[in-house]
Amino acid sequence: GLFFSLDMTDYTDSVRVACYLSTADAKGLEGVTAGQRLRVGGRMEYDSYDKTGGMVFRPTGFSAVSRPQREDNAPQGRRTELHLHTRMSALDATTDVEAAVRTAARWGHPAIAVTDHGVLHAFPDAMSAQKKAAKAGTPIKVLYGCEAYLTDPARLPAEGKKGRTPSNHIILLARNQTGLFNLYKLVSLAHLEHFNYHPNLPKDLLRQYREGLIIGSACERGELFSAIVAGKPEEALREIAAFYDYLEIQPLCNNEFMVRNGTARDREQLKDFNRAIVRLGRALGKPVAATGDVHFLEPEDEAYRRVLMASKQMSDADAPLPLYFKTTEEMLAEFSYLGEEEARRVVIEDPGAIAALCEEVVPVRAGEYFPKMPGSAEELRALSEQRAAELYGTPLPPLLAERLKTELDSIIGKGYDIIYMIAQKLVERSLREGYLVGSRGSVGSSIVAYLAGITEVNALPPHYRCPQCKHWAFPDPTPADCGADMPDGVCPACGTTYIKDGFNISFATFLGFEADKKPDIDLNFSGDYQARAHQHTIELFGEGKVFRAGTIGTLAEKTASSFARKYLEERNRQPTHAEVARLVSGCVGVKRTTGQHPGGLIIVPHDRDICEFCPVQHPADKSGDIVTTHFDYHSIEENLLKLDLLGHDDPTMIRRLEDLTGLAAQDIPLDDPDTMSLFVSPKALGLKPDSVLGENGACAIPEFGTQFVRGMLTAAKPSTFDELIRISGLSHGTDVWLGNAADLIKEGKATLKEVICCRDDIMHYLIGLGMERKLAFTIMESVRKGKGLKPEWEEAMYEANTPGWYIVSCQKIKYLFPKAHAAAYVIMAFRIAWFKVHRPLAFYAAYFSIRAVAFNAAAMTHGPETVNARMSALKKQSERTAVEEDELNTLEVCYEFYKRGFTFQPMDVHVSDATRFTVEDGALRPPFVSLPGLGETAAYDIQRERETDRFVSVEDLTARCGKVSKTHVQQLLDEGAFGDLPLSTQMNLF
């Protein structure tokens, strides 16, 4: 419900109040946006007192009525706003671009421009808003542009103020598609080559890419306005103005700060500045446009911008600056001092003429633009058919032959073979270099992906196959839900033990029944190998064709709340819940920075330029080799190929375990009973259940080692590999386990095998009930995205005899994990768990080296008493930081390590590795980096120097290892790492 403070001593059952909605509140009211002021009527129930003493009421049965909207009632023509900033003008504007476009369309404005400071991030949303307006019957033209930072190298002083490059503001509008390309090119170069506090745009560069652009003189920080204020002669003003396609003037209220700071004498002089620009425009035959320099939509929204300005410690944060979106009537009134005819011209006619020059441009192209790889279709077909024959012989099993044909026809027919072959080549290279690759998402649903070597998940139903003579058997009915759970079998043809395989996953989960779903192949490379995978992608497609997928970081509710509270407190205003919520609602979603997807790569076809699709930049405006898409990657992932090549710890753990033991992880049986027993009991580890580790042995096992999932294991008691997959699905879903499946299992309404665990479960279950498969697929897709069920779908489910609890469960789900993803994760996790049982020291060495980010040798390598004491201290804390939580998790693993009878060797400057735990004489020796504050640079310095020559004293090490500080030396001394090396009494460590 809505919560808001009312300062009243008594109340009746019917009251009407004004309130503001938070983002979360707004989601529940159709047609209402966050921050919208409402009149709320209805019966109010007393709920509680808030901390400020005001009474907090909960409305029940309320009705929301929007306050009267501002209207544009100009009788003869409507204006066009050519200067508008959205939330993407970093911490400077709060205008929601969709709301601005919708408002302008409702007002009957012919067009509206989007001109953020130096960036074009809002373009995709502006395009979407334009489409919605047209669909609503209020079409409007969107003009795509930006307010750039123009520099003139010929006029720069020797050094900019505080290192900043002096710049003037300038407005760029794309006149046509060529202009849009040039705009993207200019913004890219400004970010990549000329960034200095701002993405600066050299004038010579603008001249080079001017075609298709309309250039305006901008605000008071523009070159022309500044020259007028400086009193430059007429000839100089004409020379400056000649560069621009149109000149800009703004309301006096926009520039009144110039009077306050002494730049202008009074409002009359501000009028003279604008009159001078109008005079120049008329003399040179250039349009003059009156713009609002819009930074927020409604007058009262100024409060939000003040919070943002204060967060940047702007001295004039509280100065009145009504930069709201003005109606035609308001703008005509603002410029009435020019005379009625001239006011109409600058407010309506000239801006309208400029907008009319602009063609309808498309900032985000429609259609798919995939790179080419000659022969990819033929190669994929040959590769998968050859591998199928190698595994199953010829002729192929009918079920496999039919599915292989269906998949290949769908994949190649849609042109998706290129996606498969890129993934195949990347995975093949990684395997060749000794690193397994885990698959993510639904790609494991494809038998072609399995046969091509992209995934280890075999999507066929559970079956047997002989590695010797290729004999196969698909039991019907199947004795288990996945191959690993089937009973052992022997090939009747040659007596060889069968391989048990198959996870029973439908291809439709990946590509849809009609191949109408774009495949998304996500891969987990070892974190040690990820950079090489990215480089290999560049080698495949060439420099300038591979970019990191960009992201846009916006103000979250927590940060916005902090800004709002600080703003109010600094002004000695009590930060009540209602006022904070109001301010937060207007600040959430404002751009703060840019970033990059952790592994996403965007591929541009060899015959295309990235600027045909979007600009590019460095993430967070920092220099370096990384170049990202300027638009959030979600805006363009339907147009350009996106690869997710992520770094993950599991493949790194597997590689380390293989190096330590000489065993091949892929040879580990997925039906090992001792390993399976870990998920219900620690007996295979030689332990009994206790209060620290709980009732099972899953501590430190990927996917299953957290307290939350270990609790799920205790509740569900899995005994099969398939049940582990189901638990993985449950743990990765949202609103799938707690308050849903957990209750159903506890209440006896359903078993682990019956509850919804993965998205595939829904489709298979409904098809099994006789529902048409396309409808079953549609329901699955809606539920797995958290969109629930339509009434007609519920009716169809009831008609198919779907239990009521199942339908309710579907309605609760917000996100569902794909079964193929869960299977891939569990395969990796089970292999690592096998090492925990059968090669424990290798397991702990790999875990502490790779996953234990909070390992502290001083607290963890000196016996169980030290570990228990630190663990107890942390658990007594009412709150723990993220670092302390990581430390507590690592302490639990150390606790188990000691309980199993293992110990640590002391650290030694002549033996310890820089970064890895090593196995020595039945114990582990910690690396140098396990000391807090001793980083890899110092650790490798010690390792490198000792390989050159043995250290003869502590002084010798400090003299030769320049990266090792006195603090590091003291830490090493405390750990006894110097052994019997002498320490001079003259050596001063402090």
Side-chain angles (χ1 to χ4, degrees), residues 420-494:
Y420 274 74
M421 287 312 302
I422 293 169
Q424 188 274 332
K425 291 184 183 300
L426 293 172
V427 173
E428 182 185 46
R429 171 76 73 91
S430 182
L431 294 175
R432 200 161 62 238
E433 297 188 22
Y435 291 93
L436 291 182
V437 180
S439 61
R440 297 168 61 89
S442 298
V443 66
S445 309
S446 169
I447 194 63
V448 170
Y450 171 72
L451 295 173
I454 296 168
T455 177
E456 290 191 82
V457 178
N458 186 328
L460 294 176
H463 61 277
Y464 297 106
R465 59 180 173 84
C466 177
Q468 189 65 36
C469 72
K470 317 305 178 192
H471 187 274
W472 48 264
F474 284 79
D476 186 18
T478 58
D481 293 311
C482 79
D485 297 327
M486 295 200 301
D488 291 340
V490 175
C491 174
C494 69

Side-chain angles (χ1 to χ4, degrees), residues 218 247-251 273-274 277-278 288-291 335 337-338 346:
L247 310 183
E248 183 174 340
I249 58 175
Q250 295 182 356
F273 293 155
N274 280 349
I277 293 175
V278 173
V288 180
T291 75
F335 292 96
Y337 60 86
L338 296 177
V346 299

Side-chain angles (χ1 to χ4, degrees), residues 559-835:
T559 306
S561 178
S562 175
F563 283 1
R565 289 180 182 281
K566 185 176 180 182
Y567 171 81
L568 294 170
E569 289 166 356
E570 286 177 345
R571 284 146 187 83
N572 297 317
R573 291 167 58 186
Q574 183 66 40
T576 63
H577 299 316
E579 178 65 355
V580 170
R582 181 180 77 91
L583 294 175
V584 166
S585 69
C587 295
V588 167
V590 171
K591 174 198 163 189
R592 196 174 188 188
T593 187
T594 58
Q596 59 183 311
H597 185 281
L601 299 181
I602 299 292
I603 315 298
V604 180
H606 75 279
D607 58 345
R608 297 282 183 175
D609 188 300
I610 183 62
C611 289
E612 295 178 49
F613 304 93
C614 75
V616 291
Q617 66 174 84
H618 294 304
D621 297 326
K622 295 180 180 177
S623 59
D625 296 331
I626 297 175
V627 178
T628 68
T629 59
H630 184 75
F631 293 159
D632 181 279
Y633 71 91
H634 289 297
S635 302
I636 55 174
E637 63 182 346
E638 295 301 317
N639 314 106
L640 295 172
L641 175 60
K642 174 175 170 279
L643 300 176
D644 279 351
L645 313 181
L646 295 110
H648 203 263
D649 284 341
D650 285 0
T652 311
M653 281 276 288
I654 292 288
R655 172 62 185 267
R656 182 69 177 136
L657 289 166
E658 290 180 329
D659 289 344
L660 286 167
T661 64
L663 299 173
Q666 288 177 303
D667 293 338
I668 290 172
L670 299 182
D671 60 353
D672 179 67
D674 287 338
T675 305
M676 190 66 228
S677 73
L678 287 187
F679 300 96
V680 291
S681 166
K683 184 178 180 181
L685 305 178
L687 302 176
K688 295 180 180 179
D690 67 17
S691 59
V692 175
L693 299 175
E695 297 183 19
N696 53 62
C699 176
I701 297 175
E703 296 301 298
F704 300 96
T706 67
Q707 290 279 3
F708 176 69
V709 183
R710 278 150 57 188
M712 291 177 66
L713 293 172
T714 299
K717 296 180 173 54
S719 59
T720 64
F721 199 93
D722 178 71
E723 288 177 324
L724 294 182
I725 293 173
R726 299 182 70 79
I727 286 173
S728 180
L730 288 167
S731 68
H732 284 280
T734 304
D735 292 349
V736 182
W737 174 249
L738 293 178
N740 200 337
D743 294 345
L744 293 170
I745 293 172
K746 183 178 180 180
E747 295 165 5
K749 292 181 179 179
T751 65
L752 179 59
K753 288 182 178 293
E754 293 171 326
V755 295
I756 302 169
C757 301
C758 300
R759 63 184 64 163
D760 314 57
D761 295 341
I762 296 174
M763 183 177 70
H764 284 296
Y765 181 75
L766 294 178
I767 292 174
L769 291 177
M771 183 176 288
E772 191 272 321
R773 63 179 194 168
K774 181 68 175 178
L775 178 57
F777 175 82
T778 301
I779 291 173
M780 173 189 73
E781 287 291 282
S782 180
V783 173
R784 67 105 168 170
K785 295 175 183 177
K787 296 181 179 180
L789 301 171
K790 293 182 179 180
E792 59 267 30
W793 297 346
E794 281 195 43
E795 186 63 31
M797 292 172 76
Y798 278 118
E799 288 179 3
N801 295 317
T802 307
W805 66 260
Y806 197 97
I807 294 173
V808 172
S809 182
C810 286
Q811 294 284 28
K812 291 180 178 181
I813 290 167
K814 297 295 184 296
Y815 168 74
L816 270 174
F817 211 50
K819 182 178 180 180
H821 197 161
Y825 271 3
V826 175
I827 289 171
M828 286 282 196
F830 196 89
R831 288 168 176 163
I832 293 170
W834 184 94
F835 283 100

